[in-house]
Amino acid sequence: MKALEPAANAAVALDALLDSLVDPAVRDLAWLIFSPDLLCAQPPAGMLAIPFESAGEASATVAWLLALDQDAHDLHQSLSASHVTRLGRYAECLLGYFLRHGPAARLVAANVALRRAGRTLGECDFLVETASGKRLHWELAVKCYLHAGGARASMADYVGPNLQDRFDLKFTHLLDHQLPLSAREEFASLGHSGPWDAQMFVKGWLFYRWRDAADAAAAAAPVPAEIHPAHARGWWLARGDLSRFAAGHAEAWAVLPRLAWLAPRQRVPVDHSTGAAVRLLDSGALAEQLAQQSGPTMVAAFARDGGACWFECSRGFVVPNDWPERALAYAGQ
């Protein structure tokens, strides 16, 4: 593994940090904290959550993660006690652990339900306080969207793999409903004195359609202004294109269970934080396993690092052959 020097500023080199971490849950936590946002700031209402007030806090967090990687038993116990099965809940537990035990902003409350006349209006994900006394309301979301393949630069073109979610709908709900919760009159009665600065903590991956080299120009989809240009990227392709894509692309493959969708994976027999197996396959075995799947499946390509270790070199979704047409229709609704 590469040696990691203490971070000199808040712009921590994520790849170098991940190369220095072994434990899957610690790697996922580091990715959650330091990976690029999916969204650009949308002032005045949609400001981005920044986990650190100073370069010192960022450096201290790197040191804390390196130490946690040496003994992650307490983190594993915390995740196990939460009985995590959903990706969003897994991310909440990781961020909550950082806010309770890390060297930066501190947790005031989590999952604060706001009710009126017995009806739940919503929940504030995290209330945090910084070292300087700033009181922040963070709304966390971890999303994986596939660009439907159209030529438009529209948030509506980014759709969930199961075509039950769209980035434009999530974005609108975040700005118009979730972020304003802590400013409502009803919130003042809950005992968490404010005011609270609402911020969005939106991480994840966006996936773009793979095409043959001859169609490479068509594969470069324009990115909407709302999306951060440095966002984490992957690819997607229909099952009928898998054999052409897989040939020469990677030495080994793995189907990624949902709780392995955060940080790029290292070669580990079992992710002990989630119990999710990550088993390496050749391209033929991958095709056989995908033939048993009915919907979109996230897979990762692996390469050797020059020795006996494997690392993820790319990831993407393999979708049913009729999915692209259905995705375009869903994007256009």
Side-chain angles (χ1 to χ4, degrees), residues 216-253:
V223 175
E226 299 91 341
I227 292 178
H228 197 292
H231 64 270
R233 291 172 176 255
W235 41 263
W236 68 265
L237 51 85
R239 287 181 189 160
D241 295 325
L242 178 60
S243 60
R244 285 186 298 142
F245 175 77
H249 184 79
E251 298 178 66
W253 300 85

Side-chain angles (χ1 to χ4, degrees), residues 44 87 204 224 282 286 299 318 321:
L87 182 65
D282 60 28
L286 175 67
V299 304
V318 181
N321 289 329

Side-chain angles (χ1 to χ4, degrees), residues 9 19 31 109 123 140 158 170 178 216 255 282 298 303:
N9 53 55
D19 281 347
W31 182 91
E123 277 192 357
L140 172 67
Y158 293 84
K170 175 61 180 178
Q178 292 174 262
V255 172
D282 60 28
M298 189 191 286

